[in-house]
Amino acid sequence: GHTGSAVKVLTPHQLASIVYGTRGYEATLMDLRGCDIILDEIHTYTKVTRSIVLKIVEMLKRLGCRIHIGTATMPSVLTNRIRDLLGPETVYEVALTDEQLDEFDRHRIHKVPDYDQAQCHIEQAIADGQKVLIVANRVEVAQQRFQKLQEDYPDIPMLLLHSRFKRGERGRLEQQLTGKRTDGSGEPIREFNTGEGPCIVVSTQVVEVSLDISFDLMITDTAPLDALIQRFGRVNRKRTCETIGTIKPVYVIARPQTEGDAKPYELDSLQASFNALPDDAILHERDVQQLIDQVFTNVDNILIDKDAIYVNGRWRIERLVHK
């Protein structure tokens, strides 16, 4: 409905339509052609998503787009593949030095065997007037933890956030969480993130991106390391002369034992990510890239081409292809 607009904000799902040729993809292709495309935080949680990311970059280049990628959590193997796709001579990279990164150390990681072992830290944090963020990988788990916390701390402001809320309700909850007006003024409404005193927020992965919040303590399920780095960024986020050098705790729960319990992630990725994290130690920002490369050692080529409309430099028309 906004073909030709000078500035557009798209979801990864909308961009993926040009890979799979879903309804209306032709208009999207024509609209994107020759544009500047900003990919903010490329996430690579599964082998399939990594393959789709590469295919999207390949197609955007074919459309003559100028591609800008901003990320703190991309494995070097994927960076190298994207660099090769774009042509190394056309790529310009910007990164902080190790000395600059040292100024961003802000989390002490503690590994715990299960959620029960982490719960004991909530009571002390509440007593100290701190803001607590609990992140679960699955909606059902988040709901269960939220219900139990309501029983244990009935007088503490508490909020539950996940992807199954209707859009309007989720928007209202996110405004409560950020504690700021959504009229463009950014004025604080003195709730949760901008409120005084302790609070508890239970969330799923939806808290990882696009929310400018800063909590004092986190308890989180193990996720792929790039996702965990994003989650950690919701703790001790405010950067002022007073906060630089301050370290705050993050408790990471050991990965589950079965593939079923690991969903929506891959069990081997969770194990590698949990093993890579330091324990009872500061997570140094200068080491993050090395840790991510330790977890994501290769980029497997998942055969998504059988469903793609652009293969080996040629377009395919779905109705003329036997599938």
Side-chain angles (χ1 to χ4, degrees):
H2 300 285
T3 301
S5 298
V7 177
K8 291 173 282 290
V9 180
L10 303 174
T11 66
H13 181 267
Q14 288 171 296
L15 274 182
S17 72
I18 67 174
V19 173
Y20 293 108
T22 58
R23 184 176 179 180
Y25 81 94
E26 300 95 338
T28 304
L29 283 174
M30 294 301 294
D31 204 20
L32 292 175
R33 196 165 91 177
C35 290
D36 285 81
I37 308 293
I38 301 172
L39 304 176
D40 181 27
E41 291 297 356
I42 289 183
H43 293 302
T44 55
Y45 302 152
T46 68
K47 297 173 183 176
V48 172
T49 57
R50 290 194 285 273
S51 295
I52 292 174
V53 163
L54 288 169
K55 180 62 73 172
I56 287 174
V57 170
E58 178 186 355
M59 294 186 71
L60 291 176
K61 180 190 177 187
R62 174 68 174 81
L63 294 171
C65 297
R66 293 168 299 280
I67 304 169
H68 313 268
I69 299 172
T71 179
T73 57
M74 190 155 66
S76 293
V77 288
L78 186 59
T79 302
N80 293 335
R81 287 286 295 276
I82 290 176
R83 191 185 290 114
D84 291 340
L85 272 176
L86 296 176
E89 70 285 353
T90 71
V91 176
Y92 179 69
E93 297 183 53
V94 179
L96 296 179
T97 65
D98 283 346
E99 290 71 25
Q100 290 171 316
L101 288 171
D102 289 341
E103 297 179 4
F104 288 84
D105 290 348
R106 51 190 166 153
H107 304 119
R108 184 178 297 275
I109 309 300
H110 305 274
K111 296 180 182 179
V112 291
D114 52 46
Y115 177 67
D116 290 340
Q117 292 288 323
Q119 279 191 95
C120 61
H121 301 285
I122 298 176
E123 184 173 357
Q124 185 59 53
I126 294 300
D128 293 340
Q130 296 183 337
K131 302 182 187 305
V132 178
L133 179 59
I134 299 168
V135 187
N137 290 344
R138 304 172 76 169
V139 173
E140 295 81 2
V141 175
Q143 291 170 328
Q144 292 166 6
R145 291 176 182 172
F146 181 75
Q147 185 174 3
K148 180 65 167 61
L149 287 164
Q150 281 185 311
E151 297 170 0
D152 293 342
Y153 304 98
D155 300 323
I156 300 299
M158 204 170 299
L159 185 146
L160 173 65
L161 183 66
H162 55 69
S163 60
R164 293 185 190 171
F165 286 105
K166 291 182 178 179
R167 182 178 298 177
E169 177 67 5
R170 181 168 159 185
R172 184 187 67 79
L173 291 170
E174 288 184 353
Q175 181 184 7
Q176 267 191 287
L177 173 57
T178 59
K180 297 177 181 178
R181 296 188 184 279
T182 56
D183 58 4
S185 67
E187 289 294 318
I189 58 175
R190 305 302 177 191
E191 290 192 77
F192 292 94
N193 188 60
T194 60
E196 297 294 333
C199 67
I200 300 175
V201 173
V202 182
S203 179
T204 58
Q205 298 92 327
V206 298
V207 81
E208 290 173 9
V209 295
S210 303
L211 291 174
D212 184 14
I213 55 176
S214 185
F215 279 66
D216 300 304
L217 177 146
M218 173 182 284
I219 298 172
T220 176
D221 289 341
T222 295
L225 188 58
D226 48 353
L228 284 176
I229 299 298
Q230 294 294 330
R231 292 182 192 183
F232 296 168
R234 273 54 194 163
V235 172
N236 201 12
R237 184 179 180 86
K238 294 177 182 175
R239 187 165 172 80
T240 66
C241 293
E242 291 74 28
T243 61
I244 292 175
T246 301
I247 305 296
K248 295 195 175 182
V250 173
Y251 296 88
V252 182
I253 301 166
R255 59 93 172 171
Q257 300 299 312
T258 67
E259 291 283 357
D261 290 336
K263 290 180 178 179
Y265 303 117
E266 296 158 353
L267 186 60
D268 56 350
S269 175
L270 298 188
Q271 180 64 64
S273 298
F274 188 76
N275 290 345
L277 288 171
D279 189 16
D280 294 328
I282 294 173
L283 175 64
H284 295 292
E285 290 295 324
R286 66 160 60 200
D287 297 334
V288 166
Q289 187 65 56
Q290 176 187 339
L291 296 177
I292 289 174
D293 292 343
Q294 179 181 324
V295 173
F296 301 103
T297 56
N298 57 70
V299 179
D300 299 315
N301 276 331
I302 303 298
L303 295 178
I304 64 169
D305 279 349
K306 65 179 181 179
D307 296 309
I309 60 167
Y310 182 71
V311 181
N312 296 326
R314 299 182 63 185
W315 298 98
R316 299 198 300 191
I317 299 175
E318 184 177 15
R319 293 184 180 181
L320 301 182
V321 176
H322 174 68
K323 296 172 71 172

